[in-house]
């Protein structure tokens, strides 16, 4: 079973990762840490959650509209990042959220409740990363690698599934749809959950519901065996995780006191990217460092 999807389905990518990590075990690992910049471009406050998150602000914190957080992940870290919405926490960090709950704590020590859009990472000499809707959808989410080597494509879901979520999958708060559950989560059938007789890539095929997810989010996992178009690799890269942003939008982060932006080849000087510096500070109200 995938270490990512403990609730709904099995990602076949785990087997692929195990094979490639074994194959590359003789390759010297990159010692540098990965810089993770998390940006909230939504019109609402988002509470990012990270597991395992001991070194990332304890695994949870709030980001208001326009705010960002900069985190460092060591090579060897494997985990997931998602956004929680509609949260209400007291000063002690106790409370609940409309979507993405990890128990009743601000700082997550367990996986989030469905539905939640997940960014998933395994960091090694060759990083694996993806955005998954196998556990449902609650926020648009893009993962942009910066200054890496290899495929290094942008993963994610720019579309908002909530307005067009099939009514049988919709999660509501009052009259508002705040999330879209997976068909596996709702119907618990072998076909939708890719288990039993459907527990392999030959028999587990796209369904009406996974196709709806894929139409809105072509660069995200829509069901457990949606590997070819959904899992990406990159070496020696930093990552920008953006909530409610287009995958084509230019995003920037800092590494070794130099500004790095998506869409550029290699490292560009701050002088040549002065406009991006102005843009990032005008769009990000405040910056958290962990």
């Amino acid at each position: 079973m995938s270490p990512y999807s403990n609730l709904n389905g099995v990602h076949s990518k785990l087997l692929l990762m195990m094979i490639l990590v074994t194959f590359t075990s003789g390759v010297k690992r990159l010692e540098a840490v990965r810089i993770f910049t998390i940006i909230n471009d939504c019109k609402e406050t988002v509470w990012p959650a990270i597991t395992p998150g001991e070194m990332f602000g304890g695994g949870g914190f709030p980001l208001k509209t326009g705010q960002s957080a900069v985190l460092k992940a060591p090579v060897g870290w494997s985990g997931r990042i998602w956004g929680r919405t509609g949260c209400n926490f007291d000063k002690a960090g106790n409370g609940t959220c409309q979507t993405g709950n990890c128990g009743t704590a601000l700082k997550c020590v367990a996986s989030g409740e469905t539905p939640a859009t997940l960014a998933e990472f395994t960091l090694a000499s060759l990083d694996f990363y993806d955005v998954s809707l196998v556990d449902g959808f609650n926020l648009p989410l893009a993962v942009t690698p910066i200054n890496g080597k290899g495929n290094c494509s942008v993963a994610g879901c720019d579309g908002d599934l909530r307005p067009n979520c099939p009514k049988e999958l919709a999660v509501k708060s009052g009259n508002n749809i705040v999330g879209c559950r997976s068909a596996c989560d709702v119907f618990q059938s072998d076909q939708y959950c890719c288990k039993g007789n459907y527990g392999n890539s030959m028999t587990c095929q796209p369904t009406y519901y996974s196709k709806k997810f894929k139409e809105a989010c072509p660069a995200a996992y829509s069901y457990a065996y949606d590997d070819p178009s959904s899992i990406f690799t990159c070496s020696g890269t930093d990552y920008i995780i953006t909530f409610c942003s287009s995958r084509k939008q230019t995003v920037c982060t800092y590494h070794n006191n130099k500004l790095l932006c998506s869409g550029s080849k290699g490292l560009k000087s701050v002088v040549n990217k002065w406009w991006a510096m102005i843009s990032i500070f005008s769009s990000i109200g405040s910056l958290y460092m962990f």
Side-chain angles (χ1 to χ4, degrees), residues 186-288:
V186 173
F187 302 115
Q188 294 293 313
S189 72
D190 287 357
Q191 179 184 7
Y192 291 130
C193 295
C194 292
K195 62 183 182 180
N197 292 333
Y198 294 90
N200 61 76
S201 59
M202 296 297 293
T203 57
C204 185
Q205 296 294 312
T207 66
Y208 165 78
Y209 295 106
S210 68
K211 289 178 181 178
K212 294 285 286 184
F213 281 28
K214 198 67 175 178
E215 288 173 5
C217 305
Y221 264 88
S222 59
Y223 71 103
Y225 288 95
D226 189 15
D227 295 292
S229 62
S230 309
I231 189 167
F232 303 99
T233 59
C234 194
S235 296
T237 184
D238 296 327
Y239 294 97
I240 300 177
I241 298 97
T242 314
F243 296 107
C244 302
S245 171
S246 167
R247 290 187 298 118
K248 297 180 181 180
Q249 179 175 321
T250 297
V251 287
C252 301
T253 188
Y254 276 95
H255 186 87
N256 294 333
N257 296 319
K258 294 182 180 180
L259 191 69
L260 300 176
C261 295
S262 60
S264 61
K265 295 182 179 180
L267 188 64
K268 301 295 184 181
S269 70
V270 175
V271 173
N272 291 337
K273 288 291 183 179
W274 64 270
W275 55 268
M277 188 187 304
I278 294 173
S279 175
I280 193 171
F281 280 111
S282 64
S283 63
I284 299 174
S286 58
L287 186 69
Y288 295 98

Side-chain angles (χ1 to χ4, degrees), residues 119-132:
E120 304 174 321
F121 300 88
T122 295
L123 306 181
S125 55
L126 179 66
D127 293 354
F128 292 82
Y129 60 98
D130 68 83
V131 170
S132 174

Side-chain angles (χ1 to χ4, degrees), residues 57-256:
F61 47 88
L63 280 183
K64 296 180 180 179
T65 301
Q67 289 184 329
S68 70
V70 178
L71 317 170
K72 293 182 179 181
V75 172
W77 182 77
S78 180
R80 49 169 52 174
I81 299 173
W82 70 98
R84 293 170 289 176
T85 63
C87 301
N88 186 11
F89 293 104
D90 62 22
K91 293 182 179 180
N94 300 311
T96 59
C97 303
Q98 291 178 348
T99 66
N101 264 329
C102 53
T104 58
L106 170 64
K107 300 182 183 299
C108 292
V109 295
S111 297
E113 297 177 7
T114 61
T117 312
L118 303 174
E120 304 174 321
F121 300 88
T122 295
L123 306 181
S125 55
L126 179 66
D127 293 354
F128 292 82
Y129 60 98
D130 68 83
V131 170
S132 174
L133 306 180
V134 174
D135 286 342
F137 173 96
N138 70 331
L139 283 173
L141 176 62
V143 174
T144 306
I146 296 291
N147 202 41
K149 297 179 180 179
N151 185 317
C152 302
S153 297
V154 180
C157 180
D158 345 59
D160 192 342
L161 281 165
R162 290 171 292 186
N164 298 313
C165 180
K167 62 180 181 180
E168 57 270 32
L169 306 184
V171 176
K172 290 187 175 182
S173 176
N175 293 323
N176 298 320
I177 298 175
V178 295
C180 194
R181 299 170 68 188
S182 70
C184 171
D185 194 24
V186 173
F187 302 115
Q188 294 293 313
S189 72
D190 287 357
Q191 179 184 7
Y192 291 130
C193 295
C194 292
K195 62 183 182 180
N197 292 333
Y198 294 90
N200 61 76
S201 59
M202 296 297 293
T203 57
C204 185
Q205 296 294 312
T207 66
Y208 165 78
Y209 295 106
S210 68
K211 289 178 181 178
K212 294 285 286 184
F213 281 28
K214 198 67 175 178
E215 288 173 5
C217 305
Y221 264 88
S222 59
Y223 71 103
Y225 288 95
D226 189 15
D227 295 292
S229 62
S230 309
I231 189 167
F232 303 99
T233 59
C234 194
S235 296
T237 184
D238 296 327
Y239 294 97
I240 300 177
I241 298 97
T242 314
F243 296 107
C244 302
S245 171
S246 167
R247 290 187 298 118
K248 297 180 181 180
Q249 179 175 321
T250 297
V251 287
C252 301
T253 188
Y254 276 95
H255 186 87
N256 294 333

